[in-house]
Amino acid sequence: MSYLNNFILLGDFLSHLVESKKKASTISMYKHDLKQFFEWLNESHPNIPSEILPGDKKYYDEYFTYLKEKNLSEANLRRVASHLNGMLKYYSLTDDIGLLQATTKKQRALTDTDFITESDASILLDSVISHEHLSDIQLQIHKYIGPRNHSMFILMLRYGLTINEVVSLNIQDINFAQNTLTVNTGKSKRTLELSKHDKKTIYDYLLTIPLLFRPKDYTNDPLFISFHPQKMVYWYDYNLNKPKRISIIGTKRMIEREVKRSGIQAIVRSTHFRNSCILNKIHDGYSNEHIIYYFGLSSRHALYRFKRYLKTK
């Protein structure tokens, strides 16, 4: 049920707040505000996939319009915006959507800790397909999910896709004949050229999936699908008659596990992968227009922090 899937997203974020030592009263208010948002989202936009958060700012603006029509006070609107921003930041969406409410607080300058080094990225990619530090049971599972995870890491580390973008990809978005990948966020659509090696890696991943569960060519079947480790089978949504899409939460946890298994010392997330891709494009001399299109950015203002960082090097 869509409603329950939304609460999985909410539950994971609330667990993060508990681990961050937030007060019980604060967590209770987060839960109240975000629960109401998901209730509105399910009622107003039931067509939005339940495994992901909307990647377009227009849905959040629409929600605030709805709240204003209910005569919510400015103080309450600011609180709701703050809570939504917290959740969007947790799911690495603030870089694309931006803050939902203007703030006078100056944006923090980027430092070395906001990026992943080429060395660590290489170690991480090699580790994802290795059998190092896996138990016998994990080895059995790895032969099913290793190629999928490797393909997802390639798109994040080499092409700067966000978790939300990777999870939202459908099989029809990749053109194996032309080596291209189309990323459609709802607010923008861009086509990226894949290297032949990376294209083949994704193609080989699909071949590891039994035909019964494999995403069907030229359809909106998800490109990256869920796996049930206890039953050792791929999830299939019989109501929709298609494989079940891997979730944002599942992807986020997968990244955390693989980073830990790789042994790299840096604490990195998908945001670090994207930051490094953007920085490399700027360093290589690509135009602002090309970079804005390539990463689906809203404006050139998003590039200023990266350029200021490069000036310190």
Side-chain angles (χ1 to χ4, degrees), residues 144 147-149 151 200-209 215 222-225 234:
Y144 293 101
R148 180 201 67 187
N149 295 350
S151 297
K200 186 177 185 303
T201 297
I202 298 173
Y203 184 78
D204 289 345
Y205 142 66
L206 290 169
L207 292 181
T208 66
I209 304 172
L223 178 59
F224 297 113
I225 64 177
Y234 293 95

Side-chain angles (χ1 to χ4, degrees), residues 47-66:
N47 59 314
I48 294 179
S50 59
E51 305 92 345
I52 62 175
L53 284 165
D56 194 327
K57 190 171 181 287
K58 70 179 183 181
Y59 295 104
Y60 303 93
D61 290 338
E62 183 182 338
Y63 181 57
F64 282 115
T65 299
Y66 163 77

Side-chain angles (χ1 to χ4, degrees), residues 10-21:
L10 175 57
D12 190 64
F13 174 62
L14 293 178
S15 296
H16 162 70
L17 295 181
V18 172
E19 293 171 1
S20 301
K21 309 297 183 184

Side-chain angles (χ1 to χ4, degrees), residues 141-157:
I141 298 171
H142 185 266
K143 68 180 181 181
Y144 293 101
I145 66 173
R148 180 201 67 187
N149 295 350
H150 189 220
S151 297
M152 296 175 77
F153 267 103
I154 282 175
L155 293 179
M156 290 184 285
L157 281 165

